């Protein structure tokens, strides 16, 4: 059991680091008006392209510098986190509910239910996801809810495929047969016996999907298809930063780092949680 | 008195039309242990699954009846059949690891069935489970009931499953090679436990094995299965004293003996196999004719 313990500690450290970052970002998002040092929309041409705090020419109160319109970068990142988290939670939860339910049904019942669901998934996945998202938002119109709907509509298949495969594996196990012999109903077995064994995977995928939703939202903002351009979003800031990379690299680099840290944290947090949840790995 | 389990002329086919069970007839009287012996792939597990109503969807029963304490399973509505099978039978499986739900603690797993299927109170179920754990000689029930399956050894898991099988006082237990997945020293203990609980509870057992040594120890009657066909059936003592079918004799010759270790594991003779093939072919022909 020694190696098990080592890997558990390894995953424990990752779990705490990733969870810590996510908690920090989440708190910043929730309390954005209180913690942001400046108004994220306030332009001041006297303060344009201020460098971050450690460089010469920095102004106190503008920790990560300002963009080409003189808006405070840190405040914009903090307010951008709000949209990122709203999209992450809403889109990932919706995709998870739809995908996991269909995956569970397909994997457990098999037969025609599985054939129909698997066919839909195949057809769905034939669309390139980013094009699909852009198309959907173009049809639904830009705005927070269309971004959420677009991500959920595209990515439920990820849950469906993984949960279907896991459920199939579990359904072949003797404990399921034993429950049949004992006289439990099919739906009861699916929910009470099989579902708890796929929950760790659902949790891991859910967290991963939140990271993916953050990226997709950033991409959509980047191509100007997300929220109204006034509200700061990480993708929008990156798009602006790209234009002034030679004059003010920080406007591109800090949002990129924030985005990458957040996405990585979501996936690591999910893996860590899965290891915690799984009684065999635990 | 009607038989506990009465299988009559049971035939089952695969999607390609090939028969996996060939007009199997077999009865288990109340309180009796009937061994079902045969080599790998003979269809022993299939028979057990047919009785318990968990055949794979690709296998279809095309003929025959199965009576559980006189009730014709084929004539019952699915729901009534499930309820009957759930109340009167239990399985002791081959692989004690996958037969327990890995994400649930042993305690709730065991009591659940008594509470939900038989409608017992939680307290009564808990008492019953503890009594059974004591009978299978688990000395620290408090710990075991709180454990997850992977925290127990193979032998302990099989004890838990034996306790669970007997807990609801079924009339019939199907034991499908319950010792094959265990190591040799544990095999003996588990076999002894099953025999002991069987005697004390008076439960009928359909005991599937490929080991004639186990047959001799545990059963009163034997059916010898080859390619889904019962080739010989007899009282266990009579079978060992005077095996009738050449295949049975070959199986016995293949069983290792202390006196002559080098004579062990003789492959079944060519002529015996040829005879069996002819027997199966003519049985299939006779079966095929009236069924078109
Ligand atoms: N799910 C299935 N679908 C179709 N055929 C199957 C299936 N499972 C088993 N079979 C076939 O049915 C026959 C009987 O299999 P069964 O598992 O009953 O044998 P067995 O006597 O229990 O063997 P063993 O000693 O290896 O457990 C075999 O020929 C096998 O290939
Ligand atoms: Mg078998």
């Amino acid at each position: 059991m020694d190696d098990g313990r080592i890997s558990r500690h390894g995953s424990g450290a990752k779990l705490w680091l990733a969870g810590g970052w996510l908690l920090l970002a989440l708190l910043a998002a929730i309390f954005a008006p209180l913690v942001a040092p400046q108004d994220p929309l306030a332009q001041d041409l006297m303060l344009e392209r201020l460098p971050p705090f450690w460089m010469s020419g920095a102004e106190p109160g503008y920790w990560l510098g300002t963009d080409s319109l003189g808006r405070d970068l840190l405040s914009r990142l903090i307010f951008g986190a709000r949209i990122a988290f709203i999209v992450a939670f809403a889109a990932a939860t919706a995709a998870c509910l739809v995908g996991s339910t269909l995956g569970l049904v397909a994997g457990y019942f098999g037969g025609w239910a599985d054939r129909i669901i698997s066919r839909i998934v195949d057809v769905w996945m034939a669309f390139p996801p980013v094009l699909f998202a852009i198309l959907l938002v173009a049809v639904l119109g830009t705005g927070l809810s269309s971004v959420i709907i677009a991500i959920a509509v595209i990515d439920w298949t990820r849950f469906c495929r993984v949960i279907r495969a896991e459920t199939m594996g579990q359904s072949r196990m003797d404990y399921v047969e034993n429950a049949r012999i004992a006289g439990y109903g099919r739906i009861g077995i699916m929910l009470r016996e099989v579902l708890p064994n796929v929950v760790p995977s659902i949790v891991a995928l859910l967290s991963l999907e939140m990271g993916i939703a953050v990226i997709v939202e950033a991409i959509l903002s980047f191509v100007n298809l997300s929220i109204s351009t006034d509200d700061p979003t990480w993708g929008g800031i990156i798009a602006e930063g790209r234009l002034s990379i030679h004059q003010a690299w920080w406007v591109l680099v800090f949002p990129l780092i924030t985005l990458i840290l957040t996405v990585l944290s979501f996936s690591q947090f999910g893996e860590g949680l899965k290891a915690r949840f799984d009684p065999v790995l635990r | 008195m009607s038989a506990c389990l009465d299988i009559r002329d049971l035939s089952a086919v695969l999607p390609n039309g090939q028969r996996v069970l060939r007009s199997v007839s077999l009865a288990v009287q109340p309180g009796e242990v009937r061994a079902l012996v045969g080599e790998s792939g003979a269809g022993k597990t299939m028979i057990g699954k047919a009785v318990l109503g968990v055949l794979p969807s690709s296998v279809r029963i095309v003929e025959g009846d199965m009576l559980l304490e006189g009730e014709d399973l084929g004539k019952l509505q699915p729901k009534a059949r499930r309820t009957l099978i759930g109340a009167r039978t239990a399985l002791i499986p081959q692989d004690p690891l996958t037969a327990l739900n890995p994400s649930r603690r042993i305690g709730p797993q065991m009591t659940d069935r008594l509470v939900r299927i038989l409608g017992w109170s939680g307290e009564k179920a808990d008492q019953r489970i503890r009594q059974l754990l004591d009978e299978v000689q688990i000395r620290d029930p408090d710990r075991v009931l709180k454990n997850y399956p992977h925290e127990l050894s193979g032998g302990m898991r099989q004890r838990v499953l034996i306790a669970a099988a007997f807990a609801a006082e079924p009339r019939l237990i199907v034991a499908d090679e319950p010792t094959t997945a265990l190591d040799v020293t544990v095999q003996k203990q588990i076999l002894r436990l099953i025999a002991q609980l069987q005697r004390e509870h008076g439960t009928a057992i359909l005991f599937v094995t490929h080991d004639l040594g186990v047959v001799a120890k545990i059963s009163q009657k034997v059916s010898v299965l080859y390619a889904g066909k019962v080739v010989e059936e007899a009282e266990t003592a009579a079978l060992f004293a005077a095996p009738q079918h050449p295949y049975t004799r070959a199986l016995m010759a293949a069983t290792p003996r202390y006196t002559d270790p080098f004579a062990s594991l003789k492959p079944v003779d060519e002529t015996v196999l040829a005879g069996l093939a002819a027997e199966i072919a003519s049985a299939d022909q006779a079966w095929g004719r009236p069924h078109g």
Side-chain angles (χ1 to χ4, degrees):
Chain A
M1 283 276 98
D2 255 343
D3 47 354
R5 205 164 298 148
I6 288 166
S7 78
R8 185 167 96 199
H9 282 181
S11 82
K14 263 191 276 179
L15 182 66
W16 284 112
L17 277 177
W21 169 259
L22 291 175
L23 185 67
L24 190 74
L26 181 64
L27 288 176
I30 293 172
F31 300 107
L34 300 177
V35 295
Q38 311 290 337
D39 176 352
L41 300 178
Q43 307 183 4
D44 186 343
L45 294 183
M46 301 303 289
L47 296 171
E48 65 176 40
R49 294 189 191 128
L50 290 178
F53 68 91
W54 69 88
M55 288 169 61
S56 66
E59 285 281 337
Y62 297 85
W63 295 101
L64 298 181
T66 60
D67 65 11
S68 48
L69 295 174
R71 295 174 298 192
D72 177 45
L73 186 54
L74 177 60
S75 302
R76 290 178 69 72
L77 287 178
I78 289 175
F79 273 88
R82 294 192 131 182
I83 285 166
F85 274 97
I86 290 173
V87 171
F89 289 141
T93 306
C96 174
L97 282 178
V98 176
S100 300
T101 306
L102 290 176
L104 197 63
V105 167
Y108 179 69
F109 287 99
W112 58 264
D114 182 31
R115 278 197 293 278
I116 292 173
I117 292 171
S118 296
R119 175 53 54 89
I120 295 174
V121 168
D122 287 344
V123 171
W124 221 268
M125 292 190 27
F127 293 102
V130 173
L131 277 184
F132 197 178
I134 290 174
L135 195 74
L136 268 172
V137 174
V139 172
L140 295 169
T142 57
L144 195 57
S145 54
S146 4
V147 171
I148 291 169
I149 292 171
I151 294 172
V153 162
I154 293 162
D155 259 3
W156 65 272
T157 53
R158 183 193 317 277
F159 288 87
C160 191
R161 272 183 317 142
V162 175
I163 298 309
R164 170 184 173 268
E166 290 242 339
T167 305
M168 273 189 154
Q170 292 293 332
S171 302
R172 272 195 290 269
M173 300 268 221
D174 290 345
Y175 73 83
V176 172
E177 187 175 285
N178 245 342
R180 283 297 284 161
I181 294 169
Y184 296 118
R186 306 269 280 172
I187 296 191
I189 294 176
M190 180 176 85
L191 296 179
R192 254 188 308 263
E193 305 282 329
V194 176
L195 181 58
N197 287 291
V198 297
V199 159
S201 297
I202 293 181
V203 169
L205 273 181
L206 183 63
S207 194
L208 178 70
E209 183 63 36
M210 289 182 188
I212 291 169
V214 169
I215 292 192
V216 173
E217 191 275 321
I219 292 174
L220 287 174
S221 300
F222 189 84
V223 298
N224 228 337
L225 268 179
S226 181
I227 327 297
S228 82
T229 25
D230 285 347
D231 289 320
T233 62
W234 291 350
I237 302 172
I238 291 171
E240 289 159 12
R242 195 179 50 121
L243 300 177
S244 57
I245 172 93
H246 298 297
Q247 301 90 340
W249 54 264
W250 50 91
V251 187
L252 178 65
V253 169
F254 287 122
L256 269 181
I257 292 176
T258 312
L259 181 69
I260 291 169
L261 267 181
T262 306
V263 171
L264 278 182
S265 295
F266 269 125
S267 80
Q268 291 303 317
F269 189 64
E271 286 300 315
L273 274 190
K274 178 177 179 172
R276 280 289 158 108
F277 264 97
D278 196 323
V280 183
L281 297 177
R282 182 166 49 201
Chain B
M1 187 167 51
S2 69
C4 181
L5 172 69
D6 195 357
I7 301 176
R8 296 176 188 159
D9 285 326
L10 187 71
S11 288
V13 296
L14 296 177
N16 63 13
Q18 198 206 332
R19 277 206 292 174
V20 276
L21 298 181
R22 299 179 148 92
S23 308
V24 170
S25 291
L26 175 160
V28 188
Q29 299 305 324
E32 166 185 272
V33 180
R34 154 88 55 175
L36 185 55
V37 67
E39 63 196 45
S40 192
K44 308 183 293 290
T45 298
M46 262 334 151
I47 292 177
K49 288 191 181 204
V51 171
L52 299 170
V54 288
L55 277 177
S57 55
S58 55
V59 178
R60 204 160 48 86
I61 293 179
V62 287
E63 196 183 54
D65 302 309
M66 289 181 289
L67 280 71
L68 190 59
E69 297 200 297
E71 298 232 39
D72 190 337
L73 292 178
K75 294 217 167 69
L76 291 173
Q77 293 299 310
K79 188 130 201 298
R81 182 166 56 227
R82 283 258 71 92
T83 312
L84 186 74
I85 291 173
R88 306 269 175 89
T89 72
L91 173 73
I92 302 177
Q94 175 165 1
D95 182 351
L97 181 55
T98 67
L100 289 164
N101 190 334
S103 70
R104 303 184 66 196
R105 293 175 197 276
I106 300 290
Q109 261 190 81
M110 291 181 78
T111 47
D112 232 31
R113 174 174 178 200
L114 303 179
V115 173
R116 286 232 304 278
I117 305 296
L118 305 180
W120 294 14
S121 72
E123 207 174 321
K124 184 176 170 199
D126 188 60
Q127 267 173 13
R128 177 76 180 148
I129 292 300
R130 282 168 187 278
Q131 180 197 336
L132 261 298
L133 287 182
D134 184 60
E135 285 185 37
V136 296
Q137 291 157 23
I138 287 178
R139 293 291 164 243
D140 45 356
D142 289 318
R143 182 180 68 84
V144 170
L145 289 173
K146 280 200 205 85
N147 278 151
Y148 285 96
H150 72 275
E151 293 169 325
L152 302 177
S153 68
M156 284 294 267
R157 279 184 220 126
Q158 195 59 297
R159 280 165 201 259
V160 164
L161 282 160
I162 291 168
F166 280 96
E169 291 292 359
R171 306 297 165 77
L172 174 76
I173 288 179
V174 175
D176 193 349
E177 308 202 32
T179 60
T180 326
L182 307 171
D183 62 56
V184 186
T185 48
V186 183
Q187 281 184 5
K188 284 203 183 117
Q189 299 167 10
I190 294 297
L191 204 58
R192 218 176 293 136
L193 269 179
I194 295 176
Q196 189 184 334
L197 266 76
Q198 188 274 331
R199 264 196 314 278
E200 284 163 8
H201 293 255
T203 317
I205 298 188
L206 180 62
F207 197 104
V208 169
T209 178
H210 53 242
D211 185 341
L212 280 173
V214 171
V215 172
K217 279 197 198 88
I218 202 160
S219 69
Q220 290 93 51
K221 305 256 181 64
V222 202
S223 295
V224 181
L225 200 68
Y226 181 84
K229 185 179 186 325
V230 176
V231 294
E232 178 163 8
E233 115 174 283
E235 307 249 329
T236 306
L239 185 96
F240 279 92
Q244 300 298 309
H245 198 280
Y247 177 65
T248 314
R249 286 201 287 273
L251 272 187
M252 283 184 183
T255 307
R257 289 198 190 80
Y258 289 119
T259 46
D260 188 3
F262 297 107
S264 65
L265 298 176
K266 253 191 291 181
V268 175
D269 201 81
E270 292 286 339
T271 54
V272 174
L273 288 179
L276 279 166
E279 201 176 322
I280 299 289
S282 80
D284 276 359
Q285 221 177 8
W287 183 75
R289 232 175 276 132
H291 299 266

